[in-house]
Amino acid sequence: MAPVLETIARVRAELPRQVALLGFCGAPWTVATYMVAGFGTPDQAPARLFAYRDPDEFGRLIDVLIRASIDYLAAQFQAGVDAVQLFDTWAGVLGPEEFDRWCTKPAAKIVAGLRQRIPGARIIGFPRGASTSLVSYVDGVPFDAIGLDWMINRKFARDEIQSRRPVQGNLDPMALLAGGAALDREVDAVLASFCERPFIFNLGHGILPETPIGHVERMVARVRKSRP
């Protein structure tokens, strides 16, 4: 953990104060899927089978990860971040009941535990692929904002999620990789959908490694140009 925290402190010292520094942490369910399988799989079947066959033992693993996540995120705040995001990349492979048990409830424990340590901590939740389960996630966890993946219906997200919390997202990383007119159209569509309420423009997941930096610069320029 120490090298990460040292990097955060160094970056914070070099950034202007008006520039926010965001930290992040993998959510317990997503981290557990990699721990159980040892690598990423298309549907994270090893962890899903473990959770079905021995939910009590799997729950103990999740509890360990909840405690570790609280420690890790608290340390990031102490090192200088302004807000953090809880990434649940593999939330979308779970059914509604499993999603509640392994994503929503652990997230609620992390938020409560972190704010006991860091009062007023700003926290963004991002359960990729949650679809309509995102409503119960938002209602069940007092996040400051919610990250939206690129797969969600934007009207649904605007009406059902942004009416409850500020949202972040949801540009398709593939559109950023494509660049050109396709990127411009997607940027404009995201802005048109969400700019009337509190909103953080961002991708709907991580940037693809092969993305040209020129495409990122084009996206940033277009977003900035749209601001009043």
Side-chain angles (χ1 to χ4, degrees):
M1 186 189 298
V4 174
L5 301 180
E6 291 169 4
T7 300
I8 290 172
R10 184 172 66 253
V11 171
R12 177 70 277 172
E14 294 174 358
L15 282 176
R17 267 319 314 177
Q18 68 269 24
V19 176
L21 178 60
L22 305 182
F24 74 96
C25 179
W29 162 252
T30 287
V31 174
T33 65
Y34 293 115
M35 292 177 69
V36 173
F39 49 85
T41 65
D43 57 2
Q44 302 299 25
R48 293 166 64 196
L49 288 171
F50 182 1
Y52 274 124
R53 290 171 173 168
D54 195 346
D56 290 339
E57 187 64 22
F58 190 78
R60 282 189 278 274
L61 172 59
I62 293 294
D63 287 341
V64 169
L65 292 171
I66 289 170
R67 294 192 293 272
S69 299
I70 294 169
D71 289 343
Y72 184 43
L73 292 170
Q76 290 186 45
F77 274 105
Q78 291 159 357
V81 302
D82 298 291
V84 295
Q85 181 159 306
L86 189 66
F87 274 80
D88 218 344
T89 297
W90 290 104
V93 302
L94 296 172
E97 292 182 3
E98 287 70 36
F99 178 89
D100 180 67
R101 183 169 187 177
W102 305 126
C103 297
T104 302
K105 289 178 179 175
K109 291 179 180 179
I110 289 171
V111 170
L114 180 57
R115 287 189 176 138
Q116 282 185 339
R117 302 263 291 271
I118 310 292
R122 297 182 178 92
I123 312 168
I124 302 166
F126 177 58
R128 189 184 74 154
S131 188
T132 55
S133 292
L134 194 54
V135 174
S136 62
Y137 184 82
V138 171
D139 288 345
V141 190
F143 285 113
D144 294 285
I146 297 295
L148 303 175
D149 59 56
W150 72 94
M151 299 168 283
I152 197 164
N153 179 280
R154 287 178 183 144
K155 183 179 185 303
F156 168 82
R158 183 178 65 245
D159 295 346
E160 300 298 334
I161 307 304
Q162 199 179 21
S163 61
R164 291 169 162 82
R165 297 282 196 285
V167 297
Q168 171 182 281
N170 73 320
L171 186 78
D172 187 345
M174 197 63 68
L176 182 58
L177 177 60
L183 173 59
D184 293 346
R185 287 194 301 271
E186 287 301 302
V187 168
D188 292 348
V190 172
L191 293 170
S193 294
F194 301 116
C195 67
E196 296 300 319
R197 291 174 175 166
F199 170 60
I200 305 165
F201 187 94
N202 205 338
L203 300 183
H205 199 239
I207 188 169
L208 297 170
E210 62 270 32
T211 302
I213 188 64
H215 294 187
V216 179
E217 292 169 344
R218 180 179 182 131
M219 174 188 70
V220 171
R222 196 168 188 89
V223 172
R224 287 178 172 170
K225 185 178 178 181
S226 73
R227 296 170 64 182

